[in-house]
Amino acid sequence: MYKITTIPGDGIGNEVMKPTVEILETLDAQFDFIEKKAGKACYDECGTNLPDDTIESARNSDSILFGAVTSIPQQKSAIVTLRRMLDLYVNQRPIKSYTNSNIDFTIIRENSEGLYSHMETLDGDVATATRKITHNGCERIINYAFDYAKKVDRNKVTAVHKANVLPTTDGIFKDTFYNIAADYKNIESNDFYIDATAMYLIMQPEDFDVIVTTNLFGDILSDEAAGLVGTLGLLPSANIGKNNGLFEPVHGSAPDIAGQNKANPIAMILSAALMLEFLDLKEDAKNIQNAVEQTIVESKIKTPDMGGSNTTQQMADAILHKL
Ligand code: ATP
């Protein structure tokens, strides 16, 4: 029995979480779902956007499924706090287009250090931001990338950096990459500079399989790659730490379409498939991914973001039918 904390959050977070849980409940694997609150509605009701019992439940679960939260001015984001508290150092985004078979790769971004170390100073007219890179941080993200490639039968891992301009920080990243690559003889490894990668993603996306990179570069590349797919409604993500993982769609709470039953549930459903991969329920994960792919390619069901007029529930039902 897997203990899963679900945090639907705000807006379309609720609408996409419901059918996702329904799909998971049809699998043979047994899940104990515990629903907890976070986000703006929670703040309005209980005075905090991340209650202690939500944190406690997340800590003690095998995984967390997170919908989306609406940000509140002056308040720390619930999702950013959760990522930090649970030391979720991996941010993973599969980028797959169902209309262009050349686009099918995963970006694995270091999520805990780099330029996001919150070390900025101002001295007179000199402002400085510290880019913190550690051996340990590089090792754990690069090991994760190779282990992941092996687990899901991917053939190549590409390190992305700027070691020509940042020879010390990115030098550590690049050296660690090739030290670890030597242990994975069946997986091809190579490296590119970040600027060249930004171009290659558009010109030759088929050359990529798994990309591993530091925090800011990963942030930028992830959004560039999302642009290749078109709609946010199809993009899942995972945040993974040593003890558990949090799985969430890339999109936010989308207040503009909330309550209209037209949110695309696919990003959330594919996030749940990433959770199944993480829990080593590889076959269930593959089945869900295939059902989504077949629905997109073979059925006429399309939510408005995909150019159709079907509802959230109709899309979820079509996927369930394929499953
Ligand atoms: P937030 O502040 O919570 O991030 P946002 O509206 O700024 O909300 P998103 O929620 O990511 O950012 O939405 C960006 C745009 O993409 C919106 O127009 C939204 O309607 C659309 N969108 C996001 N997710 C989906 C989805 N699952 N299905 C359909 N459209 C979506």
Side-chain angles (χ1 to χ4, degrees):
M1 176 78 88
Y2 298 93
K3 189 172 162 191
I4 313 292
T5 296
T6 62
I7 306 176
D10 298 308
I12 65 167
N14 292 287
E15 296 163 45
V16 295
M17 182 67 79
K18 189 174 157 282
T20 302
V21 168
E22 278 166 14
I23 287 176
L24 291 173
E25 279 173 335
T26 67
L27 303 176
D28 286 341
Q30 295 293 302
F31 301 102
D32 178 15
F33 292 106
I34 303 150
E35 187 175 315
K36 293 291 172 186
K37 290 180 183 165
K40 185 164 185 315
C42 168
Y43 181 79
D44 292 343
E45 189 189 326
C46 7
T48 168
N49 63 351
L50 188 62
D52 287 344
D53 78 316
T54 301
I55 298 170
E56 204 46 36
S57 178
R59 250 191 232 294
N60 296 319
S61 295
D62 295 301
S63 283
I64 304 134
L65 273 180
F66 191 95
V69 286
T70 303
S71 48
I72 313 163
Q74 279 25 0
Q75 289 292 313
K76 274 194 189 154
S77 147
I79 182 69
V80 172
T81 308
L82 266 178
R83 284 187 195 136
R84 195 159 300 152
M85 282 186 143
L86 303 175
D87 192 21
L88 303 174
Y89 64 93
V90 179
N91 184 274
Q92 179 178 328
R93 270 199 206 178
I95 307 289
K96 182 173 165 74
S97 164
Y98 298 93
T99 47
N100 178 350
S101 60
N102 284 336
I103 299 172
D104 184 7
F105 57 90
T106 292
I107 297 178
I108 294 179
R109 160 189 171 195
E110 205 291 323
N111 214 19
S112 66
E113 48 183 40
L115 267 173
Y116 293 69
S117 307
H118 302 282
M119 288 185 280
E120 277 201 300
T121 54
L122 180 60
D123 185 3
D125 65 347
V126 181
T128 308
T130 301
R131 182 170 187 259
K132 182 179 155 199
I133 300 282
T134 65
H135 271 288
N136 181 40
C138 292
E139 252 172 38
R140 64 181 188 170
I141 193 71
I142 293 165
N143 269 319
Y144 178 87
F146 277 97
D147 283 345
Y148 178 75
K150 193 171 161 192
K151 187 165 162 180
V152 299
D153 302 322
R154 292 283 189 160
N155 300 319
K156 180 159 78 177
V157 181
T158 302
V160 174
H161 58 82
K162 191 72 180 168
N164 52 342
V165 174
L166 301 163
T168 307
T169 48
D170 270 1
I172 295 178
F173 184 77
K174 187 177 166 187
D175 290 348
T176 307
F177 175 78
Y178 281 112
N179 284 340
I180 291 173
D183 295 335
Y184 291 85
K185 302 246 176 314
N186 296 328
I187 299 175
E188 197 186 326
S189 52
N190 64 352
D191 70 287
F192 291 128
Y193 294 133
I194 174 65
D195 44 346
T197 308
M199 180 180 70
Y200 296 152
L201 278 190
I202 294 175
M203 310 280 290
Q204 50 207 62
E206 68 278 10
D207 284 355
F208 295 96
D209 220 348
V210 173
I211 291 173
V212 61
T213 189
T214 52
N215 209 338
L216 180 65
F217 295 161
D219 192 11
I220 297 168
L221 282 188
S222 301
D223 273 21
E224 183 194 354
L228 292 172
V229 174
T231 166
L232 277 174
L234 297 178
L235 290 170
S237 80
N239 300 273
I240 292 169
K242 221 168 110 194
N243 301 319
N244 51 18
L246 181 152
F247 302 84
E248 57 169 338
V250 168
H251 63 73
S253 62
D256 56 334
I257 57 165
Q260 299 171 37
N261 196 20
K262 61 184 189 192
N264 190 341
I266 290 180
M268 186 78 240
I269 293 168
L270 289 176
S271 301
L274 288 180
M275 179 184 84
L276 298 173
E277 272 177 4
F278 173 76
L279 295 173
D280 260 332
L281 299 167
K282 235 170 122 174
E283 210 177 305
D284 286 325
K286 199 92 223 120
N287 288 341
I288 291 186
Q289 285 156 349
N290 289 341
V292 167
E293 177 155 10
Q294 285 169 20
T295 306
I296 294 174
V297 176
E298 294 167 14
S299 87
K300 290 195 171 57
I301 304 284
K302 289 188 190 341
T303 44
D305 59 308
M306 299 166 77
S309 58
N310 291 106
T311 63
T312 306
Q313 195 59 50
Q314 284 169 334
M315 175 59 87
D317 288 345
I319 293 167
L320 201 51
H321 179 72
K322 292 282 181 196
L323 196 63

